[in-house]
């Protein structure tokens, strides 16, 4: 049994080697390092209010890929990833007893109350066993200690105020390099690296990849860095990001970094570093800035989560506002299953159910529809997203649902999206709707956004029978009628030839309010 100094690196949402302060600290302060990941059973329980599954099949598959990728990278550097199933505080305690030489446990701090409860448990165990705890901060672009506010309680409740303050008074710390070698596990300890569980081991189902997915990617740091290389340097797609980010079909309308950001396979500081390098070597424009703008939204929701804690999940939100939300399960089931009778909503919800992904534009609209058109408890939608999104980030998801519901960080009251206008603005020829709702494929052009307005002859010709092959709308908003009788710009084939495909829309002057959904997420 070794008596030398051993550091356990407890990994959670920091599944990378680049820009990882925990590894750097351990490398300086230990003779042996135990990288550890725990499959916490708490992550596979039901959600707080509606008992929906907490981790869906797409995110679990992405996580398992990421764990395997990190283990492979660590093995290449003379180490490995120790994997255990159990509560992290209990696993850490067992390892301290088994190894007998642990001098410290190091981990990145998180902002979510459940994660902080784990941290308190680890601290308690280490205190009892006289083992040091070392913590780092690494989930945001701007370090918590570098914010231009004396305390998080002084964090502005409006994003723009936060953004202007950090842009003028803050600084982004440099990226920490990837270590070429990591100090090995303690020799002679008999430490088994442990099997990476399958979805079935965790009583979950595995995924079947839908060929229509806008995110046909695998988890892991290797894939994350390759994605950034592709989007920035191989294709220059980042140079038109602001123009294409409201797309709906395909891989390259946005960076798609959000799933890797959510579990820390890529560092926001690394993305920022690459943006600055790209601006220096190729071009700097509104699009390159907008990637940073979105990273700041992600930061903002992390710090809002740190400021408000459990209030992020309160039905009254951050504004302590009482709204008579409905809890109609029939309406909720129609929404989550993509059978509301509103094609733009249904297409997005079906994409989410079948792939674990949805565009930022889609998230805005389906959230507005659930909270403003259906009047349902916003937490129903937030927990459904919590379950299914491959890029779920607690702070961004719940913060944005509060924002959508009008009880979060939003200076403007009564924000509501017009489903028909949004559909015509961003899917003007209806390609996206037909992509996900094949039963409407017979309806040509933008008319597919409002099939209930078509004549019986038109519906019959398209082989659509309302309330049979496709439902009538479960709710009607009066403002929709302003757009249902207008032919959308660029709806015809000749117009499309001039403007390009409908899934890379130009920015509309009157495109409605932009609202940034789960930016860890999907920017």
């Amino acid at each position: 049994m070794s008596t030398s100094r051993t550091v356990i690196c407890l990994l959670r949402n920091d599944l990378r080697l680049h820009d990882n302060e925990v590894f750097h600290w351990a490398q300086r302060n230990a003779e042996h390092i135990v990288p550890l990941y725990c499959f916490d059973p708490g992550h596979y329980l039901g959600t707080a209010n509606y008992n929906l599954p907490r981790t869906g099949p797409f995110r679990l598959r992405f996580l398992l890929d990421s764990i395997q990728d990190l283990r492979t990278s660590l093995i290449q550097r003379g180490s490995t990833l120790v994997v255990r199933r159990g509560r992290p505080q209990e696993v850490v305690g067992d390892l301290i007893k088994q190894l007998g030489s642990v001098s410290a446990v190091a981990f990145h701090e998180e902002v979510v109350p459940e994660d902080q409860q784990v941290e308190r448990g680890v601290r308690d165990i280490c205190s009892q066993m006289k083992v040091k705890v070392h913590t780092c901060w690494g989930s945001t672009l701007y370090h918590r200690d570098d914010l231009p506010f004396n305390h998080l309680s002084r964090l502005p409740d409006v994003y723009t105020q936060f953004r202007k303050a950090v842009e003028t008074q803050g600084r982004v710390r440099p990226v920490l390099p990837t270590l070429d070698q990591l100090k090995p596990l303690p020799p002679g300890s008999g430490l088994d690296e442990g099997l990476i569980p399958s979805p079935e081991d965790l009583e979950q189902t595995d995924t079947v990849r839908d060929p229509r997915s806008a995110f046909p990617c695998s988890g892991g740091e290797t894939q994350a860095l390759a994605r950034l290389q592709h989007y920035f340097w191989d294709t220059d797609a980042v140079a038109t990001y602001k123009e294409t980010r409201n797309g709906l079909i395909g891989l390259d309308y946005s960076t798609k970094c959000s799933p890797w950001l959510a579990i820390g396979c890529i560092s926001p500081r690394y993305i920022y570093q690459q943006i600055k390098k790209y601006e220096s070597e190729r071009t700097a424009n509104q699009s390159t800035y907008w990637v940073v703008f979105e990273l700041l939204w992600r930061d903002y929701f992390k710090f809002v989560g740190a400021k408000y804690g459990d209030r992020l999940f309160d039905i009254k939100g951050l504004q302590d506002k009482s709204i008579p939300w409905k809890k109609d399960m029939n309406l909720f089931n129609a929404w989550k299953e993509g059978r509301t009778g509103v094609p733009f909503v249904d297409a997005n919800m079906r994409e989410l159910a079948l792939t674990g992904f949805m565009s930022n534009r889609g998230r805005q609209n389906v959230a507005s529809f659930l909270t403003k058109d259906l009047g349902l408890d916003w937490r129903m939608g937030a927990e459904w997203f919590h379950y299914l999104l491959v890029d779920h980030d607690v702070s961004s998801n719940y913060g944005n649902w509060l924002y959508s519901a009008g009880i979060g960080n939003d200076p403007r009251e009564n924000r509501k999206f017009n489903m028909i206008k949004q559909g015509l603005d961003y899917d003007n020829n209806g390609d996206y709707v037909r992509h996900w709702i094949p039963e409407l494929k017979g309806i040509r052009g933008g008319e597919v956004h409002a099939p209930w307005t078509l004549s019986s002859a038109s519906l019959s010709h398209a082989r659509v029978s309302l309330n049979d092959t496709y439902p009538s709308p479960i709710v009607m908003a009066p403002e929709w009628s302003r757009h249902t009788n207008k032919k959308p710009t660029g709806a015809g084939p000749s117009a499309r030839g001039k403007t390009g495909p409908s899934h890379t829309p130009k920015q509309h002057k009157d495109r409605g309010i932009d609202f940034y959904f789960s930016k860890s997420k999907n920017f």
Side-chain angles (χ1 to χ4, degrees):
M1 181 73 68
S2 171
T3 58
S4 58
R5 290 175 302 156
T6 298
V7 170
I8 296 173
C9 294
L10 175 61
L11 304 170
R12 293 180 295 168
N13 293 317
D14 49 356
L15 303 180
R16 64 179 183 269
L17 287 172
H18 76 274
D19 200 31
N20 193 321
E21 188 179 349
V22 164
F23 283 138
H24 276 265
W25 184 87
Q27 190 78 351
R28 291 193 308 270
N29 290 279
E31 294 171 54
H32 300 102
I33 296 174
V34 179
L36 171 67
Y37 184 85
C38 299
F39 283 88
D40 187 339
H43 292 168
Y44 306 94
L45 302 175
T47 54
N49 298 292
Y50 294 96
N51 199 35
L52 297 169
R54 195 173 290 247
T55 301
F58 304 102
R59 190 161 73 256
L60 178 57
R61 168 46 55 198
F62 195 82
L63 173 64
L64 293 173
D65 291 344
S66 301
I67 295 296
Q68 182 60 63
D69 182 73
L70 182 58
R71 174 175 277 180
T72 299
S73 296
L74 284 166
I75 289 171
Q76 292 169 354
R77 288 162 175 81
S79 180
T80 190
L81 180 64
V82 175
V83 171
R84 295 288 185 269
R85 292 168 61 183
R87 298 172 69 212
Q89 53 270 49
E90 295 173 359
V91 172
V92 167
D94 290 344
L95 284 175
I96 292 172
K97 289 177 187 174
Q98 178 184 349
L99 297 172
S101 60
V102 176
S103 57
V105 175
F107 55 82
H108 278 109
E109 292 182 58
E110 296 284 346
V111 302
V112 177
E114 286 182 1
D115 292 333
Q116 292 178 337
Q117 186 176 356
V118 168
E119 292 167 19
R120 287 191 294 272
V122 171
R123 289 179 191 274
D124 289 346
I125 288 286
C126 289
S127 175
Q128 293 168 24
M129 306 182 85
K130 296 181 170 51
V131 170
K132 178 183 175 181
V133 169
H134 179 81
T135 64
C136 306
W137 184 269
S139 62
T140 53
L141 178 60
Y142 284 88
H143 195 286
R144 176 183 57 190
D145 296 343
D146 298 338
L147 294 177
F149 317 107
N150 293 333
H151 191 271
L152 277 175
S153 62
R154 307 283 300 270
L155 182 81
D157 284 328
V158 177
Y159 166 72
T160 302
Q161 295 173 10
F162 164 80
R163 177 180 60 80
K164 289 180 177 178
V166 296
E167 285 182 338
T168 56
Q169 303 169 53
R171 71 179 183 95
V172 176
R173 296 186 180 186
V175 172
L176 297 170
T178 302
L179 295 167
D180 293 327
Q181 286 288 118
L182 200 69
K183 290 179 179 173
L185 301 186
S189 61
L191 189 59
D192 177 24
E193 67 176 6
L195 292 174
I196 297 173
S198 67
E200 292 75 20
D201 292 334
L202 298 167
E203 299 180 7
Q204 308 290 310
T205 56
D206 206 352
T207 59
V208 176
R209 183 166 287 169
D210 192 300
R212 297 170 292 178
S213 176
F215 187 76
C217 305
S218 302
E221 179 181 18
T222 303
Q223 292 292 328
L225 298 178
R227 171 62 187 169
L228 206 70
Q229 171 70 27
H230 167 84
Y231 193 79
F232 282 38
W233 302 103
D234 297 345
T235 65
D236 289 307
V238 69
T240 54
Y241 168 71
K242 194 167 188 285
E243 287 72 46
T244 64
R245 67 196 167 93
N246 282 304
L248 299 167
I249 298 175
L251 181 59
D252 284 348
Y253 64 75
S254 65
T255 71
K256 298 295 199 306
C257 286
S258 54
W260 292 292
L261 273 167
I263 55 174
C265 294
I266 196 166
S267 155
R269 290 193 298 229
Y270 179 75
I271 297 174
Y272 180 84
Q273 178 203 63
Q274 291 295 300
I275 280 286
K276 292 302 170 187
K277 185 171 186 280
Y278 186 91
E279 289 180 334
S280 172
E281 297 180 10
R282 295 205 179 166
T283 188
N285 59 19
Q286 275 197 321
S287 287
T288 54
Y289 168 71
W290 218 256
V291 173
V292 179
F293 182 90
E294 305 290 22
L295 287 173
L296 287 178
W297 261 111
R298 179 179 178 275
D299 267 21
Y300 183 57
F301 280 120
K302 289 277 188 190
F303 295 127
V304 166
K307 176 179 178 178
Y308 286 103
D310 281 330
R311 285 181 63 186
L312 209 61
F313 314 104
D314 192 285
I315 192 168
K316 294 182 178 181
L318 308 184
Q319 300 179 20
D320 198 31
K321 186 186 294 185
S322 293
I323 295 175
W325 301 109
K326 292 185 290 189
K327 299 183 179 182
D328 186 319
M329 293 308 294
N330 289 327
L331 290 178
F332 177 62
N333 288 335
W335 177 82
K336 73 183 178 67
E337 293 165 12
R339 49 181 182 82
T340 68
V342 183
F344 195 51
V345 173
D346 291 346
N348 277 287
M349 295 307 297
R350 294 187 192 188
E351 179 184 13
L352 175 63
L354 291 168
T355 71
F357 195 81
M358 189 194 298
S359 70
N360 177 45
R361 180 57 46 183
R363 298 180 200 204
Q364 300 174 42
N365 277 279
V366 301
S368 178
F369 185 79
L370 181 127
T371 57
K372 302 296 173 61
D373 289 302
L374 299 181
L376 291 176
D377 179 357
W378 66 270
R379 299 173 304 175
M380 300 170 99
E383 292 185 9
W384 187 247
F385 273 28
H386 191 154
Y387 163 45
L388 275 179
L389 281 175
V390 68
D391 59 2
H392 183 259
D393 174 287
V394 173
S395 298
S396 291
N397 182 46
Y398 285 85
N400 270 300
W401 272 95
L402 288 170
Y403 192 106
S404 176
I407 53 177
N409 300 91
D410 188 357
R412 285 164 287 199
E413 294 285 332
N414 302 319
R415 177 188 303 260
K416 183 185 181 187
F417 281 79
N418 181 322
M419 294 301 111
I420 306 304
K421 182 182 186 306
Q422 288 281 310
L424 294 175
D425 277 355
Y426 296 101
D427 182 33
N428 64 344
N429 201 50
D431 293 340
Y432 174 73
V433 164
R434 285 184 291 273
H435 194 62
W436 290 105
I437 309 180
E439 59 265 41
L440 297 180
K441 66 182 179 182
I443 303 178
R444 299 183 61 188
E447 290 181 335
V448 76
H449 288 290
W452 62 90
T453 66
L454 301 182
S455 67
S456 298
S458 296
L459 289 172
S460 177
H461 181 73
R463 298 186 178 180
V464 173
S465 174
L466 290 181
N467 299 317
D468 180 13
T469 60
Y470 186 72
S472 293
I474 57 175
V475 66
M476 293 283 284
E479 66 269 17
W480 296 353
S481 63
R482 298 200 298 269
H483 304 279
T484 52
N485 296 319
K486 295 181 181 178
K487 186 144 181 92
T489 303
S494 60
R496 282 190 64 206
K498 296 174 184 176
T499 61
S502 66
H503 54 267
T504 53
K506 292 184 176 180
Q507 296 299 296
H508 299 264
K509 181 180 178 183
D510 184 29
R511 70 185 184 280
I513 302 298
D514 275 328
F515 124 17
Y516 303 93
F517 220 107
S518 212
K519 283 301 174 188
S520 42
K521 99 189 165 242
N522 167 35
F523 65 82

